[in-house]
Amino acid sequence: KEIYQEIEQFNVASKDQLEQFRLRFVGRKGVITELFEGLKNVPQEDRRAVGQELNGLKNFALERFEAFTRTIDEQQSAADSTPPVDLTLPTVPNLTGTQHPLTLVRQRIIQIFERIGFNVADGPEIETDWYNFGALNFPDNHPARDMQDTFFVEKKSATGQDSADDVLLRTHTSNVQIRLMERHSKADTFRPIRSIMPGRVYRNETISARAHCLFHQVEGLYIDRNVGFKDLKDTLYHFVKEMFNKDTRIRFRPSYFPFTEPSAEIDISCQICGGSGCNICKHSGWVEIAGSGMVDPQVLANCGIDPEEYTGFAFGMGVERITQLKYVVNDLRLYTENDVRFLRQFEGL
Ligand code: PHE
């Protein structure tokens, strides 16, 4: 009876336990064999009944043993059929995402100028003709106002109303210059302006490797007493050496903008070929990165600042172009196509 109970309670979950079961109940040195050996001491007349009893017990133990053996075998073969873990395989990549190259470069530009005392100013992307063109001295018939360059949102002149009120997508961030100067000139005491203006701008251009209808500029404006062309040169020399490297050469080329006088375009030695000639610099060794100049006295006056007392310089650069030179990006369209093979190259920068 006790052994029946013991067998029933014996739980077999592993090969080791199966072996223990065998040794205790089934093996030649197990309890049941022992009981069979004791049979010879049982009186003759009882021997038959006890023998039958013991046979029943033995069969019960054997049945249990076989059942346990089957389940343990099944477990074993299930474990064998799961593929082995290859510990040398690379892990599932942890895709963390990355900042867009234009963001990286914009942040670097801001950092360089903030360290020399410029703050960041912002303004609207949907602008009136006055802030985008008029206040900046663009004559009424200037080609930049043309439908071909500018995305108009509302063209009042076409309806015969006040032509100064056309609404458009800004073609440069110079509108923020005007808004800044206006605001400062209206304050009780005029405080100097030393700001940069990063932002999106729009021009109606056919999209190609070299042009896009949407791009990014960072403009700068510095207005104070006694600001001269040397300050403009100093500032931009400093910027170029910080953004690129100490050996980058810089060239100021006379140019024209309606809102600056004198004006200069800024070229740097080509970062791609080092000056030996490539497609980016059209084999000249130089690439244009910015426009600049002394703010035209008329523009200061348009904004209520006395040009007799204050002078200033302004500059404007394209973030796409700077990024192209810094990271050798040969097609502008890569910036907006969201191809992860392109974007991943900027991981960790
Ligand atoms: N606004 C000019 C452009 O978009 C750049 C510029 C800014 C030139 C400031 C001179 C001074 O092309």
Side-chain angles (χ1 to χ4, degrees), residues 35-36 38-55:
L35 286 175
F36 270 110
L39 204 57
K40 57 181 179 282
N41 303 326
V42 173
Q44 184 72 44
E45 63 270 25
D46 295 336
R47 210 174 274 173
R48 195 180 144 89
V50 175
Q52 274 175 352
E53 190 81 19
L54 281 181
N55 268 329

Side-chain angles (χ1 to χ4, degrees), residues 171-172 174 177 203 217 219 257 259-260 291-293 314-316:
T171 58
H172 49 190
S174 308
Q177 289 188 33
R203 287 182 201 177
Q217 286 188 331
E219 277 200 22
F257 298 101
F259 42 95
T260 49
S292 70
F315 58 85

Side-chain angles (χ1 to χ4, degrees), residues 125-196:
E125 288 176 28
I126 300 174
E127 192 52 285
T128 60
D129 184 283
W130 171 253
Y131 286 104
N132 193 80
F133 292 128
L136 288 150
N137 262 355
F138 281 82
D140 274 347
N141 55 358
H142 192 283
R145 295 185 184 219
D146 205 299
M147 283 299 249
Q148 269 136 47
D149 279 316
T150 307
F151 288 116
F152 287 92
V153 177
E154 241 171 60
K155 200 141 169 63
K156 294 269 168 64
S157 51
T159 62
Q161 292 172 8
D162 188 351
S163 67
D165 272 331
D166 285 349
V167 180
L168 44 85
L169 296 182
R170 67 178 176 194
T171 58
H172 49 190
T173 45
S174 308
N175 65 324
V176 190
Q177 289 188 33
I178 303 298
R179 289 177 173 278
L180 261 182
M181 288 193 278
E182 256 186 15
R183 205 182 316 141
H184 276 246
S185 71
K186 280 183 190 143
D188 293 339
T189 45
F190 181 84
R191 280 178 300 108
I193 301 170
R194 197 156 54 194
S195 301
I196 53 167

